[in-house]
Amino acid sequence: MNVTPDNKILVQGISEEQGSIYAARMKSYGTNIVAGTSAGHGGQLLHGIPVFDLVEQAIVEVGAIDTSIIFVPAYQVLDAALEAIASGIRQIILITGGIPPLDMVKLLRKAEATKTLVLGSGSSGIIVPGKILLGTHESKFYTPGNIGIIGRTGTLAYEVAWELTQASLGQSVAVSIGSDPIVGSSVVQWLQILAADKNTKAIVLVNHIGVPCEETAAKYIVEELDKPVVAYLAGRKSQKKLIGHANAISLRHREMMFASQRDGLASELTPEERQIAAFKQAKIPIADSPSQIPDLVKKALKK
Amino acid sequence: MDLLEYQAKELFREMGIPVLPSQRIDHTRDLKRLQIPYPVVLKSQVRAGGRGRVGGVRFAENTIDAIAAAQAIFNLPILGEYPQVLLAEAKYDVTREFYLAVTLDYNARRPVLLGSSQGGMNVEAVMEQMQQVIVEEEFSPFYARRLAVKMGLKGNLIGSVSCILEKMYQLFVQKDLDGLEINPLGVSATGEVMALDGKITVNDAAFNRHPDLAMLAAEMPESEMTKETPLETYNNTSQSSLNWVNRDGNIGILCNGSDLAIAMADLVTRAGGSPRLCLSVSEEASGDLSAASRGEKLEQELERFVQNKNIKVLLVNIVGSAAVNEEVASSIVNYLQRKVNDIPEVPSQATRRFRPRGSDRRYDQKSLPQFIVRLLGGEIDYSSEHFASMPVNWIDNLEDAIAQAVSLAKSTAKT
């Protein structure tokens, strides 16, 4: 992902309540928001940002756009993202959560075919503290520095950022990959992006148990990444009781069905145990609580 | 959310997936007017698996048999759930049984077709023979044929099984399902195929655009889950979602963000506490609610915790902007003011729906759980009269808030 201060940013759904609030907040943080779209609101000016009915009309007026940040309601997200892709935008951030998975499947097929990077859905976006805000991160929890954070939703990342900030460990970038079951860019993709980022010296990976990407992430960290990583995996103590939730049951079921197809760790382990084992095997320090993270990061940086 | 077998079969029938003649039985007397010729199979309609092994599926040769069997099944809880409905179905003679499913592979971010040439109750045998085909691009029937061949099928079975898979896939896409499963798919001596049992998992996030599925969900009997959390939860997953129910716990957790909710449950457990119900209200940007309806929604969530008499302590952790924290703080204060002053509430249309039956009792302060509230990122003066007079522990530090919640829950449990 290309995140530089001169990037041209579009806000789709700028007249939605959240779209409007965050467009203003991003702009005041210094983000180069060049246009917004909201059908029926074309021709208006919102927080000094010109609003258009269509993405293509915005592009005619302001030129090629690097990134679109989407705030439209869940069932309209697929359409908004396809509109952005059709207009040549190749970086998309989906703030809205609760998008039906099959809509995401459709969108990601299109995104892969057009080499479009999709962050989210249910993402808080990206913040480069002190420089640029693409999304809804609360900037006051962050300070500039050189620790990268990869999380799923914003709020747990804020807890972590706040702990780091209080321990005088500033952050180079924080990204929220999204809270929905199917998201565009993966943890591994963001590990790769942060591996290439000169300002990032260590990475804190904030995730929760039951997300089926941990093993590939652990494998990538141990085999490819030469920056220290500290992990915080929520749900290690409590996830087993999650079984009451219908989705958790189907997740478990799915995990079970795919388990036999996978190589690697012993199959008698539960998916949760397998994920923890993968991290332990890769010798990635795992914090028990957000408050332990700063110490583990300091230790990892000394090595 | 999982549909019951008879509901899944109604959808199969609409889609043209072959199912046996069957009849829904709400009461044993319905068996006197049975339209299906004997012998029949009577099946308990619960969501739990493994009904057959514990006696939830019985055969009957005549009406007397059937009534006795139905009485036994109605009185048989399966994993704590009593059936409210049975399904009576014609008997079918099979020579082979297969397993078929369509679901999503979250790693591949694609739908996947699953099939095993070993169907039925022996899960290990089913798993051992499991084959999969990922639907990379737009679906076309060749994906289904590919799976049938991988399953080792030959001759006419390739066509008949892949035809079922194709219809399953159509249903999966049309109704935005999380998954659907036919197990077993029975094959008769003549090579005819029949969906003998089926399971459909509806996607909560897509519920609102499928009114027919919402109707089916409304028919569902109350389970332990739905008793604690009304079905409306499922209609609004983007705004609020249930993350956790634990029957033995006594601490309620309310926070913003789903992984924050999981982390909170985890930290409380680590500190020796036992969470009962854990809810995540929307992160600010995920919903499209106005500030006023967000406040109303939050008060509904608080009411839900208070209604649950097993919750001794309610731990609220909201991490966000000053504006959000002020909103949350004033919702809590508004809510408590009403409760503490014992002012009969005039519920809005929305709150009325959340109110369980027979709950018009009055409150006193003693019946409320202890409130522990942590609002990170707000600049709220808790010492002001507005906040100080409330029966709330306002705590800034997360670890302190958790320790306090656990210790209060323990001391309250003893008294």
Side-chain angles (χ1 to χ4, degrees), chain A residues 17-18 22 75 103 109 112 138 140 153 155 159 184 186 212 235 237 242 245 247 253-254 256 291, chain B residues 103-104 107 109-110 127 136 178 181 205 209 243 256 259 266 283-284 289 294 317 374 377 399:
Chain A
E17 191 197 11
Q18 301 295 333
Y22 286 104
Y75 295 164
D103 283 11
R109 278 196 190 118
E112 284 161 26
E138 277 308 323
K140 70 180 160 198
T153 63
T155 48
E159 290 279 5
S186 65
K237 283 279 175 194
L242 255 168
H245 197 281
N247 268 347
H253 185 64
R254 229 185 306 268
M256 198 176 77
S291 60
Chain B
T103 186
L104 282 160
N107 274 331
R109 295 151 200 190
R110 293 286 190 271
M127 297 299 293
E136 292 288 350
D178 265 354
E181 182 183 281
R209 65 183 182 195
N243 295 93
N256 56 341
D259 55 357
D266 206 29
E283 280 195 73
E284 312 165 60
L289 292 169
R294 271 202 306 275
N317 181 25
R374 183 225 189 201
E399 313 254 317

Side-chain angles (χ1 to χ4, degrees), chain A residues 157-169:
Chain A
Y158 304 163
E159 290 279 5
V160 172
W162 185 237
E163 293 288 353
L164 291 170
T165 292
Q166 284 180 308
S168 304
L169 289 164

Side-chain angles (χ1 to χ4, degrees), chain B residues 3 29 62 105 188 212 221 258 337 339 376 380 383 405:
Chain B
L3 299 182
R29 65 174 172 263
N62 53 51
D105 182 333
S188 73
D212 55 332
S258 53
Q337 244 155 14
K339 292 293 175 203
L376 181 63
I380 295 165
S383 62

Side-chain angles (χ1 to χ4, degrees), chain A residues 1 3 30 50 81 135 143 159 167 176 178 194 218 240 248 257 259 280 295:
Chain A
M1 189 149 209
V3 183
T143 46
E159 290 279 5
S176 135
L194 294 194
K240 279 197 181 110
M257 289 195 289
K280 289 201 168 144
D295 280 347

Side-chain angles (χ1 to χ4, degrees), chain A residues 12-289:
Chain A
Q12 283 179 269
I14 196 166
S15 300
E16 307 280 338
E17 191 197 11
Q18 301 295 333
S20 166
I21 291 171
Y22 286 104
R25 227 177 265 182
M26 285 187 269
K27 197 179 172 211
S28 69
Y29 203 73
T31 306
N32 185 24
I33 312 262
V34 293
T37 57
S38 258
H41 296 261
Q44 296 176 1
L45 210 60
L46 199 62
H47 315 296
I49 302 161
V51 181
F52 299 88
D53 292 316
L54 294 171
V55 176
E56 61 191 46
Q57 290 172 334
I59 289 172
V60 166
E61 206 62 33
V62 303
I65 285 167
D66 299 287
T67 302
S68 177
I69 305 177
I70 297 182
F71 284 90
V72 303
Y75 295 164
Q76 296 164 27
V77 167
L78 171 62
D79 175 56
L82 291 177
E83 187 189 358
I85 293 174
S87 304
I89 298 173
R90 292 295 173 261
Q91 298 188 142
I92 294 174
I93 299 176
L94 306 177
I95 303 296
T96 312
I99 297 172
L102 285 170
D103 283 11
M104 283 303 288
V105 169
K106 254 186 220 164
L107 169 57
L108 294 174
R109 278 196 190 118
K110 189 74 189 172
E112 284 161 26
T114 54
K115 296 198 166 54
T116 305
L117 196 140
V118 176
L119 180 59
S121 50
S123 167
S124 302
I126 304 167
I127 184 167
V128 181
K131 288 209 176 77
I132 187 168
L133 171 63
L134 300 172
T136 62
H137 284 272
E138 277 308 323
S139 56
K140 70 180 160 198
F141 298 117
Y142 296 94
T143 46
N146 47 33
I147 313 296
I149 300 176
I150 303 173
R152 292 195 84 80
T153 63
T155 48
L156 187 54
Y158 304 163
E159 290 279 5
V160 172
W162 185 237
E163 293 288 353
L164 291 170
T165 292
Q166 284 180 308
S168 304
L169 289 164
Q171 305 90 40
S172 51
V173 58
V175 59
S176 135
I177 67 167
S179 55
D180 280 352
I182 292 191
V183 291
S185 50
S186 65
V187 167
V188 171
Q189 263 173 294
W190 283 95
L191 284 168
Q192 286 165 344
I193 292 168
L194 294 194
D197 176 41
K198 284 194 195 79
N199 296 322
T200 301
K201 296 223 164 74
I203 299 167
V204 180
L205 179 59
V206 186
N207 213 329
H208 59 82
I209 294 295
V211 186
C213 66
E214 303 293 358
E215 287 156 73
T216 38
K219 193 164 182 280
Y220 172 79
I221 291 167
V222 73
E223 286 173 8
E224 315 263 346
L225 193 68
D226 53 6
K227 291 181 183 177
V229 175
V230 168
Y232 172 59
L233 303 173
R236 287 165 64 198
K237 283 279 175 194
S238 52
Q239 194 79 2
K240 279 197 181 110
K241 288 170 188 157
L242 255 168
I243 200 141
H245 197 281
N247 268 347
I249 294 170
S250 64
L251 240 178
R252 200 165 292 266
H253 185 64
R254 229 185 306 268
E255 271 283 348
M256 198 176 77
M257 289 195 289
F258 295 127
S260 59
Q261 318 285 335
R262 292 216 195 113
D263 51 353
L265 294 149
S267 60
E268 61 266 24
L269 295 177
T270 64
E272 292 78 26
E273 288 163 340
R274 255 194 354 253
Q275 291 174 349
I276 296 293
F279 273 79
K280 289 201 168 144
Q281 205 175 324
K283 296 201 169 65
I284 300 163
I286 309 174
D288 286 337
S289 69

